[in-house]
Amino acid sequence: MGLNLNDKKAVVAEVSAKVATAQTIVVAEYRGIQVSHLTQLRAKARSQGVYLRVLKNTLARRAVEGTQFAPLADSMTGPLIYSISDDAVAAAKVIADFAKTNDKLVLKAGNYAGKQLDVAGVTALASIPSREVLIAQLLGVMQAPVSGFARVLAAVAAKKGETEAA
């Protein structure tokens, strides 16, 4: 049974609210995937903070209308699952990782900060480390000179202590 007009408006409003704060939307075709696999995908998306939903394409087009994601409407054909995230990489990473293990999930397109992405672009975006990993790497780079300086001072102090002891 289809949705009535009020239900459709509610779905569009809910998706529009997610799209308003999103940085990335990734679209994939899910034809032929078992329900148990989709449940696993939804659980993984939920744990990563990604909004994942199967939508009627007409409702999705209305939700992205007038936003930076409007160019994505051209790719909205067929049975699609929509992955929407506030994190720039999370939506692409969840879908791309799942597509590696399940060949029936086919990446179709994506949009990052208003820029249309093809399949290669979505895959490249998914290969970027997460925000937490990037922050940890930056912190390591920032700490390297200080920790190196501390090791040199400790070595000089140890050598000076050896010469005084002798």
Side-chain angles (χ1 to χ4, degrees):
M1 183 172 153
L3 299 172
N4 65 28
L5 184 60
N6 290 332
D7 291 341
K8 289 178 183 179
K9 286 180 181 178
V11 168
V12 170
E14 176 186 344
V15 175
S16 294
K18 293 291 183 182
V19 168
T21 62
Q23 285 192 24
T24 307
I25 296 178
V26 177
V27 179
E29 191 170 311
Y30 67 95
R31 184 175 288 144
I33 295 180
Q34 296 177 357
V35 173
S36 61
H37 292 150
L38 278 178
T39 304
Q40 292 171 355
L41 176 61
R42 285 187 171 113
K44 184 175 181 184
R46 200 175 307 114
S47 71
Q48 299 287 329
V50 175
Y51 179 78
L52 191 73
R53 181 128 186 218
V54 173
L55 294 168
K56 290 183 70 88
N57 295 328
T58 53
L59 298 180
R61 281 189 203 102
R62 285 194 179 133
V64 299
E65 193 174 276
T67 68
Q68 63 183 348
F69 302 108
L72 195 58
D74 297 337
S75 303
M76 295 179 183
T77 57
L80 299 177
I81 191 162
Y82 295 86
S83 177
I84 303 170
S85 71
D86 298 341
D87 182 1
V89 179
K93 191 175 285 290
V94 166
I95 295 291
D97 288 348
F98 189 79
K100 288 177 189 174
T101 61
N102 193 323
D103 59 340
K104 293 187 180 186
L105 184 73
V106 180
L107 286 171
K108 197 154 183 190
N111 192 307
Y112 166 67
K115 294 188 178 23
Q116 190 72 5
L117 301 173
D118 58 355
V119 175
V122 172
T123 306
L125 185 63
S127 67
I128 295 173
S130 69
R131 183 175 187 271
E132 290 77 20
V133 171
L134 289 174
I135 289 172
Q137 289 174 346
L138 178 64
L139 186 59
V141 168
M142 291 171 65
Q143 286 180 337
V146 174
S147 61
F149 182 67
R151 281 193 295 271
V152 168
L153 285 179
V156 168
K159 190 167 193 166
K160 189 174 185 181
E162 286 176 8
T163 57
E164 287 179 0

